[in-house]
Amino acid sequence: AENGYCRSHQYELLQYVYRPELTAYWNSVLKRIKSGDRTEWKRPAEFGEQEKIIVDRFYETPLTKMAPTMTRDSKNLSAILLRMEKLINKLMDEIII
């Protein structure tokens, strides 16, 4: 699911690789905005270091510890879909305004 060539859409990658990488990215963007730096943006060197730490942590974690804990049933699916609807509606309200 994850290698030097490509990555897939598995739950474990989303939770344990994509989210931490995205957090590192947005932390960098917000830091730059707060600093007032308006020069051309280039990929910070520390991203490579952070990526390695995140991916190494992913490979060191047993898959059993990464397994989803929510029961897979219609009640939970319904709750998730309703939550997604609220989030999308909120996003659409913000975009339209």
Side-chain angles (χ1 to χ4, degrees), residues 36-68:
D37 184 356
R38 296 183 180 269
T39 60
E40 180 182 349
W41 192 83
K42 295 183 180 167
R43 186 177 193 270
E46 66 265 14
F47 276 11
E49 298 162 15
Q50 291 172 343
E51 181 182 33
K52 179 166 178 19
I53 291 167
I54 291 166
V55 170
D56 286 349
R57 187 179 313 132
F58 170 74
Y59 279 108
E60 291 166 2
T61 305
L63 284 173
T64 54
K65 288 190 175 187
M66 292 188 234

Side-chain angles (χ1 to χ4, degrees), residues 3-38:
N3 60 46
Y5 173 71
C6 69
R7 289 181 171 172
S8 296
H9 59 279
Q10 279 72 23
Y11 167 85
E12 294 83 0
L13 284 171
L14 174 71
Q15 289 294 102
Y16 293 89
V17 177
Y18 301 154
R19 278 189 171 183
E21 287 178 347
L22 193 57
T23 297
Y25 172 81
W26 283 113
N27 286 342
S28 175
V29 169
L30 293 173
K31 179 180 172 185
R32 187 176 168 93
I33 289 170
K34 288 178 184 177
S35 76
D37 184 356
R38 296 183 180 269

Side-chain angles (χ1 to χ4, degrees), residues 84-97:
M84 286 175 56
E85 177 187 29
K86 287 179 185 176
L87 290 170
I88 290 169
N89 286 334
K90 181 180 176 188
L91 176 64
M92 295 305 292
D93 288 344
E94 292 176 9
I95 290 173
I96 292 172
I97 292 176

